[in-house]
Amino acid sequence: MIYYKTPAEIEKMRLAALVVSRTLAEIAKIIGPGVTTKELDTLAEDYILSQNAVPGFKGYMGYPATLCTSVNEQVVHGIPNDVKLKEGDVVSIDCGAVLDGFHGDHAYSFMIGEVKPEVKELLRVTKKSLYIGIEASRAGQRISDIGYAIQTYTEKHGYGVVRELTGHGLGRNLHEDPSVPNYGRRGRGKMIRNGLVIAIEPMINLGKKEVGQLDDGWTIVTKDGLASAHFEHDIAIVDKKPVILSTFDYLEDALRERGLEIL
Ligand code: MF3
Ligand code: CO
């Protein structure tokens, strides 16, 4: 069952999403070679608590951390650890926070130093596919039109679209109906209408679409071992159009400030 949100609830959800956006900016200030994902996790948790919010992922189905940190062939749900990030890595940082009862949940794939050109292109295309999916999120369209748009664009580049994980409704719960696949045929599923709040999160593989799970019970990895990218925004449908509640502006400003490349 879909919980449609009132304008007042959507404003609360914007504030929750922006806690996450600012947390990602704190990460952008320090991420680089030699930093561990555990250090990033501690920073994120401290920052979220300082905003009178609480981590949204920690404890969710037993998940042990504030962030999901997925490096290279890890697609999503990587658990922060003591391994130092190194030049050439790509790391997807997914973060959740609950503020005033509502969840924010968004993600960005960061480059560590100089990464291979083909990985850069994967990041560029995956990020663009998120905005293409958002553009398709208009009242009168259906949920599957979002996935159709993302799949068509990313497969044109020869990439694999992960099937096993999807975007989702967002609200007082981290995962609400509807599920929002990143693939599909046009014109299927629920109609998109005002008050719908969803997290759109393309997970796109450089190689094949097949994924597996590590023994930790969480980390999703590509079967072929090639890199994967993940970008996520929270959006609300207002006046029949998508409004992006989260933002990459803060984190990209922080990267720019350090002279790092933005794709
Ligand atoms: N954005 C991720 C998702 O929607 C968040 C996962 S949180 C976890 O799947 F706790 F399940 F890892
Ligand atoms: Co999500």
Side-chain angles (χ1 to χ4, degrees):
M1 168 185 160
I2 300 178
Y3 298 104
Y4 295 95
K5 277 78 185 176
T6 64
E9 288 171 331
I10 289 172
E11 283 319 303
K12 287 186 180 187
M13 292 200 67
R14 186 198 302 278
L15 296 178
L18 291 178
V19 170
V20 178
S21 304
R22 294 197 303 272
T23 308
L24 292 176
E26 292 302 306
I27 289 165
K29 288 178 190 170
I30 67 155
I31 194 168
V35 175
T36 72
T37 50
K38 243 310 188 10
E39 288 161 1
L40 298 177
D41 194 70
T42 303
L43 172 77
E45 178 163 6
D46 291 349
Y47 182 78
I48 289 168
L49 294 172
S50 81
Q51 302 301 298
N52 298 313
V54 292
F57 299 169
K58 207 170 188 175
Y60 177 80
M61 313 255 286
Y63 188 73
T66 294
L67 300 177
C68 296
T69 54
S70 309
V71 183
N72 298 332
E73 79 286 355
Q74 299 180 351
V75 180
V76 288
H77 300 172
I79 301 172
N81 61 26
D82 291 318
V83 180
K84 290 181 159 79
L85 294 169
K86 58 181 194 311
E87 184 88 16
D89 283 346
V90 51
V91 52
S92 155
I93 309 272
D94 193 347
C95 180
V98 187
L99 182 73
D100 202 4
F102 287 95
H103 283 262
D105 169 20
H106 97 111
Y108 193 87
S109 290
F110 292 85
M111 298 186 287
I112 306 300
E114 199 52 43
V115 309
K116 287 193 209 135
E118 73 249 38
V119 172
K120 263 191 203 178
E121 183 64 8
L122 171 71
L123 294 179
R124 212 177 269 123
V125 168
T126 303
K127 187 175 166 191
K128 177 91 187 285
S129 80
L130 168 58
Y131 289 99
I132 287 173
I134 292 170
E135 203 46 46
S137 311
R138 291 174 178 275
Q141 302 285 102
R142 290 182 186 272
I143 291 294
S144 76
D145 295 326
I146 300 170
Y148 174 81
I150 292 171
Q151 180 181 18
T152 307
Y153 178 69
T154 53
E155 285 187 349
K156 213 170 58 195
H157 288 82
Y159 298 143
V161 179
V162 174
R163 304 294 203 270
E164 287 80 355
L165 299 122
T166 65
H168 49 92
L170 186 72
R172 292 190 180 276
N173 302 297
L174 176 60
H175 292 149
E176 297 186 356
D177 285 342
S179 133
V180 183
N182 297 303
Y183 63 94
R185 299 168 61 176
R186 267 186 280 205
R188 307 285 163 115
K190 284 261 158 51
M191 289 288 274
I192 294 171
R193 71 163 180 86
N194 286 341
L196 181 71
V197 179
I198 52 177
I200 302 181
E201 49 179 318
M203 289 153 259
I204 307 297
N205 298 343
L206 185 56
K208 294 194 178 3
K209 67 180 186 303
E210 282 74 22
V211 296
Q213 192 174 41
L214 298 186
D215 291 340
D216 62 17
W218 283 102
T219 315
I220 305 296
V221 293
T222 59
K223 282 228 163 113
D224 61 15
L226 296 178
S228 185
H230 177 220
F231 290 86
E232 178 175 19
H233 267 318
D234 302 336
I235 72 149
I237 308 303
V238 178
D239 295 334
K240 302 189 173 183
K241 292 186 293 285
V243 173
I244 307 177
L245 303 177
S246 45
T247 180
F248 295 144
D249 288 353
Y250 306 151
L251 80 88
E252 291 187 341
D253 283 348
L255 293 175
R256 218 172 277 119
E257 191 88 7
R258 296 174 62 196
L260 299 174
E261 189 182 5
I262 318 283
L263 295 176

